[in-house]
Amino acid sequence: TYKNVAIDKIKDIEDSEVIKEAYKNVDLGYSFLDNRQIETKPFLSIKAFDNTSFSKKNVKLIKGRFPKNSNELVISDSIYENKGFKYNIGDKLNINVGQRILGDEILSNNNTYPSIDAAGIQESFVNKYTKEYIIVGIIERPKFEAFYSPGYTAITYLDKTLLSSITAINIDVISKNPKSCYDDLDKLAKKANVLEVDFNSNLLRWYGVTGTDNGNSMLYMMGLILIIVIMIASIIVIYNSFSISITERKKQFGMRSEERRVGKECRSRW
């Protein structure tokens, strides 16, 4: 994910030869809920997605429909845990949208509420604008909304009108070549003047990619050790199989020899 990409740099990323697919989203801010009853989760966390983001981020609709413009939104069904929230599909929601601030830092939904710095100063809320939305759908609590998150997810549509009113967005990308994605995407970030890039390191490890030479060497070494262990185990199993087979054959030959010896003795007595 490229964070805080300037609007005039979007095409640089979308049209890059190293990018297989790109989809846009933006965190618009927070709104305090009226009649909030869960003190650690007092906000709506408002985001805007393009069409691809809704599908790639696995947003599942329970009822209603997805927003078609930036005046509509869908809300997470987890919001109804807050018994004070009485709105439903078709209702208008007039809210103040702002940012959670702690010192010089703008807080995200990964920061619990209330956040407090080392000096004991608590976060503040800075209102930016007032907006009226129409609720058009209810979605399942998305995976990116953690249980400890202070905001219930609300998503509007990232249309041209909204895009023209903001200065930066986030762009999620899929690299054409996962093996070289760390280098490729870092170079592209420098070209687009993007300062923050988040990689899905857990997924990339399955491709054998770690982003560091030491990490890659360790993965290759572990793979080599695993192959050697499997080969040794296979040799031992094969050897034991042959050993058991030879032992059994010897027993059979011994029994036949004994049978012939006993037969000769019986004949000589008669």
Side-chain angles (χ1 to χ4, degrees):
T1 301
Y2 289 109
K3 298 288 188 71
N4 297 316
V5 181
I7 300 301
D8 61 350
K9 297 294 183 180
I10 294 174
K11 296 298 288 182
D12 288 346
I13 294 174
E14 290 182 327
D15 296 341
S16 171
E17 61 183 10
V18 302
I19 299 300
K20 179 180 180 180
E21 193 170 7
Y23 39 103
K24 302 181 287 292
N25 62 87
V26 60
D27 294 321
L28 295 175
Y30 292 87
S31 176
F32 266 115
L33 290 169
D34 293 332
N35 302 318
R36 51 190 176 273
Q37 296 182 4
I38 302 176
E39 290 302 318
T40 56
K41 200 156 185 162
F43 298 106
L44 271 181
S45 174
I46 306 165
K47 305 175 182 295
F49 284 5
D50 65 6
N51 282 325
T52 308
S53 288
F54 277 103
S55 59
K56 290 295 185 181
K57 290 181 177 291
N58 201 26
V59 179
K60 296 181 179 179
L61 193 68
I62 296 176
K63 60 180 178 179
R65 61 174 175 83
F66 287 121
K68 296 179 180 179
N69 59 63
S70 55
N71 296 316
E72 300 175 340
L73 54 71
V74 291
I75 56 175
S76 169
D77 65 339
S78 62
I79 199 170
Y80 293 105
E81 297 168 357
N82 189 326
K83 304 301 182 183
F85 189 83
K86 304 299 183 183
Y87 296 92
N88 215 318
I89 293 176
D91 291 337
K92 293 182 179 180
L93 198 59
N94 197 291
I95 54 177
N96 294 317
V97 182
Q99 300 287 354
R100 300 167 57 212
I101 306 293
L102 184 63
D104 296 329
E105 181 184 1
I106 297 176
L107 301 179
S108 74
N109 226 22
N110 292 323
N111 300 110
T112 57
Y113 180 85
S115 291
I116 301 173
D117 66 13
I121 299 174
Q122 185 172 311
E123 68 174 83
S124 59
F125 181 80
V126 179
N127 184 46
K128 297 293 185 181
Y129 59 90
T130 300
K131 174 73 176 179
E132 183 177 83
Y133 291 102
I134 299 175
I135 301 172
V136 296
I138 309 295
I139 59 173
E140 288 184 6
R141 183 184 66 82
K143 292 181 179 179
F144 53 80
E145 181 194 313
F147 288 103
Y148 61 80
S149 297
Y152 300 101
T153 302
I155 310 173
T156 187
Y157 182 64
L158 183 59
D159 58 12
K160 291 181 179 179
T161 301
L162 178 55
L163 201 58
S164 65
S165 67
I166 57 180
T167 58
I169 64 168
N170 303 322
I171 303 180
D172 295 315
V173 299
I174 299 174
S175 174
K176 286 182 179 178
N177 185 4
K179 296 291 184 183
S180 63
C181 73
Y182 280 99
D183 289 337
D184 292 343
L185 300 186
D186 279 340
K187 289 176 183 177
L188 183 56
K190 291 177 181 178
K191 178 181 177 181
N193 296 322
V194 178
L195 300 179
E196 185 178 357
V197 185
D198 287 344
F199 292 90
N200 190 341
S201 55
N202 290 331
L203 176 62
L204 289 171
R205 285 193 194 99
W206 287 102
Y207 288 95
V209 181
T210 64
T212 63
D213 291 337
N214 289 339
N216 288 336
S217 298
M218 185 175 69
L219 280 177
Y220 294 143
M221 183 62 67
M222 289 175 63
L224 179 60
I225 291 172
L226 182 61
I227 290 172
I228 292 172
V229 169
I230 292 173
M231 289 177 63
I232 292 173
S234 299
I235 291 171
I236 292 173
V237 170
I238 293 171
Y239 174 81
N240 286 339
S241 297
F242 276 115
S243 179
I244 292 170
S245 178
I246 291 171
T247 301
E248 291 296 324
R249 294 290 291 174
K250 285 181 177 179
K251 287 181 180 179
Q252 290 178 5
F253 288 135
M255 291 175 64
R256 290 176 182 175
S257 297
E258 183 66 19
E259 288 174 358
R260 286 196 294 271
R261 187 183 65 79
V262 172
K264 288 180 180 179
E265 290 180 358
C266 291
R267 286 193 298 272
S268 63
R269 289 177 182 177
W270 288 99

